[in-house]
């Protein structure tokens, strides 16, 4: 395996940029290829079979471009399709559920844990199961918060509408004396300020993207796969600069606009592609 290859990341759309940001901050010497499946978003309301198919198509598309590791930034795809993706890929695959669950348990201090995510992720109980395998006696309260995705995309994260929606969604979890609350959907870190205000300062919010970046860093070190930086000029990296490549399956302009809102800069290299119907897909 060539250690200088980029790390592949995919999400159902723009939300995974929060995971890209966390990876970029933790691993500034690495390069990334990001695929946002904007033609088929949202995944959070789709069936297992559909999410698996989309996830495998995205993964094979990235693998065909040459990557040393795949990060499944999408919580829904991680919750539903990780075993299928691992079967289809020859590189290591890291999802966001395990790292997020581990961080939640470590920080909860034995208290209950709240999980907010898409409908599909909540129905899969992927976070609950991952938490139970580490801390079987810890109570987990899960809640789907689908409107948070639209609020983040609309740029309404800091509005009264967001505060009202958060108060409604989080009422039960707030009354359950949780120690940590997992932001189990790529978009939710965008609303973290409002969510924190609603929950109060005693509850620690767990950003699965940050926990995942830590695991990626560990794996690269373990496998001696960290990228070699040959020139000092290469260290002057910025989010979305031309060393990172972004692909979308539709609506590139919108992706660019929302990326600018999420990250403060739009991708320098952004291409619209189709990830289905390629030769390499016939083999899975
Ligand atoms: N990326 C999805 C997730 O993290 C949220 C958006 C969707 O429903 O596709 O679960």
């Amino acid at each position: 395996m060539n250690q200088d290859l980029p790390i592949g990341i995919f999400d159902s759309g723009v939300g995974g940029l929060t995971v890209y940001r966390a990876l970029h901050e933790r691993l500034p010497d690495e390069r990334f290829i990001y695929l946002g499946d904007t033609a088929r978003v949202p995944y959070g309301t789709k069936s297992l079979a559909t999410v698996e198919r989309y996830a495998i198509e995205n993964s094979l598309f990235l693998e065909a471009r040459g990557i040393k590791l795949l990060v499944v930034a999408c919580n829904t795809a991680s919750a539903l399709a990780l075993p299928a993706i691992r079967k289809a890929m020859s590189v290591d695959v890291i999802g966001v559920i395990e790292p997020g669950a581990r961080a939640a348990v470590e920080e909860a201090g034995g208290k209950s844990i709240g999980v907010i995510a898409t409908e599909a992720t909540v129905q899969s109980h992927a976070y609950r199961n991952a938490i139970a395998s580490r801390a079987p006696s810890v109570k987990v309260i899960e809640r789907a918060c689908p409107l948070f995705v639209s609020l983040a995309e609309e740029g309404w994260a800091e509005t009264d509408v967001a505060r009202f929606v958060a108060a409604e969604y989080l009422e039960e979890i707030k009354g359950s004396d949780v120690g940590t609350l997992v932001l189990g959907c790529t978009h939710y870190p965008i609303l973290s300020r409002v969510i924190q205000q609603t929950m109060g300062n005693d509850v620690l919010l767990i950003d699965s993207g940050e926990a995942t970046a830590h695991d990626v860093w560990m794996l690269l070190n373990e496998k001696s796969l960290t990228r070699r930086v040959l020139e000092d000029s290469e260290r002057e990296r910025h989010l979305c600069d031309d060393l990172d490549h972004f692909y979308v399956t539709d609506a590139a302009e919108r992706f660019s606009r929302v990326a600018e809102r999420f990250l403060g800069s739009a991708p320098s290299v952004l291409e619209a592609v189709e990830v289905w119907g390629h030769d390499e897909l016939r083999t899975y």
Side-chain angles (χ1 to χ4, degrees):
M1 177 63 68
N2 177 354
Q3 69 196 90
D4 296 326
L5 287 173
I7 295 171
I9 309 171
F10 85 80
D11 179 45
S12 55
V14 290
L17 291 173
T18 58
V19 180
Y20 161 70
R21 179 174 53 197
L23 285 163
H24 193 282
E25 276 169 13
R26 182 89 203 200
L27 302 155
D29 292 341
E30 297 297 331
R31 292 177 180 182
F32 301 95
I33 305 185
Y34 180 101
L35 170 65
D37 192 7
T38 44
R40 305 187 289 189
V41 67
Y43 286 10
T45 49
K46 298 203 167 70
S47 68
L48 170 72
T50 300
V51 173
E52 267 186 1
R53 178 160 57 86
Y54 291 176
I56 289 171
E57 287 170 350
N58 297 338
S59 304
L60 293 175
F61 172 85
L62 288 169
E63 189 171 49
R65 253 126 219 97
I67 52 171
K68 62 182 172 188
L69 170 73
L70 175 69
V71 177
V72 181
C74 179
N75 285 259
T76 306
S78 295
L80 273 60
L82 213 54
I85 299 170
R86 288 202 166 120
K87 221 164 132 194
M89 298 287 282
S90 55
V91 296
D92 282 310
V93 181
I94 293 191
V96 287
I97 305 282
E98 278 296 326
R102 192 197 56 236
V105 171
E106 278 169 10
E107 303 288 344
K111 280 184 160 184
S112 302
I113 296 173
V115 175
I116 51 175
T118 62
E119 282 169 55
T121 302
V122 166
Q123 274 165 23
S124 76
H125 300 303
Y127 273 108
R128 175 184 289 179
N129 296 338
I131 292 166
S133 70
R134 292 170 182 279
S137 59
V138 166
K139 190 174 165 209
V140 180
I141 304 116
E142 298 165 292
R143 175 75 156 105
C145 304
L147 288 177
F148 280 171
V149 173
S150 324
L151 288 167
E153 296 228 354
E154 237 359 87
W156 285 14
E158 305 281 334
T159 61
D160 286 343
V161 183
R163 277 183 273 280
F164 182 78
V165 171
E168 191 73 23
Y169 277 149
L170 300 174
E171 195 183 348
E172 191 201 339
I173 297 182
K174 199 179 167 187
S176 304
D177 191 30
V178 295
T180 50
L181 175 64
V182 180
L183 306 179
C185 170
T186 47
H187 287 66
Y188 298 178
I190 306 290
L191 282 101
S192 57
R193 207 188 319 228
V194 164
I195 296 170
Q196 188 76 72
Q197 281 163 1
T198 309
M199 293 303 298
N201 287 335
D202 290 343
V203 177
L204 187 73
L205 303 187
I206 303 294
D207 181 339
S208 292
E210 283 172 15
T212 303
H214 171 79
D215 279 24
V216 171
W217 175 80
M218 296 250 292
L219 188 86
L220 292 181
N221 279 297
E222 255 168 45
K223 300 209 160 184
S224 304
L225 277 178
T226 46
R227 187 169 166 270
R228 289 166 299 183
V229 177
L230 303 174
E231 290 176 34
D232 268 357
S233 60
E234 284 191 68
R235 291 193 184 275
E236 307 244 323
R237 296 292 319 277
H238 300 287
L239 273 175
C240 296
D241 68 15
D242 60 5
L243 295 178
D244 294 339
H245 287 217
F246 292 81
Y247 295 96
V248 287
T249 51
D250 198 10
E253 219 172 280
R254 181 175 191 277
F255 182 89
S256 206
R257 237 182 307 121
V258 182
E260 185 140 27
R261 191 178 309 131
F262 280 14
L263 303 177
S265 50
S268 309
V269 186
L270 175 62
E271 214 179 301
V273 289
E274 274 193 5
V275 297
W276 47 90
H278 292 277
D279 277 353
E280 67 261 26
L281 297 178
R282 299 213 180 95
T283 55
Y284 82 82

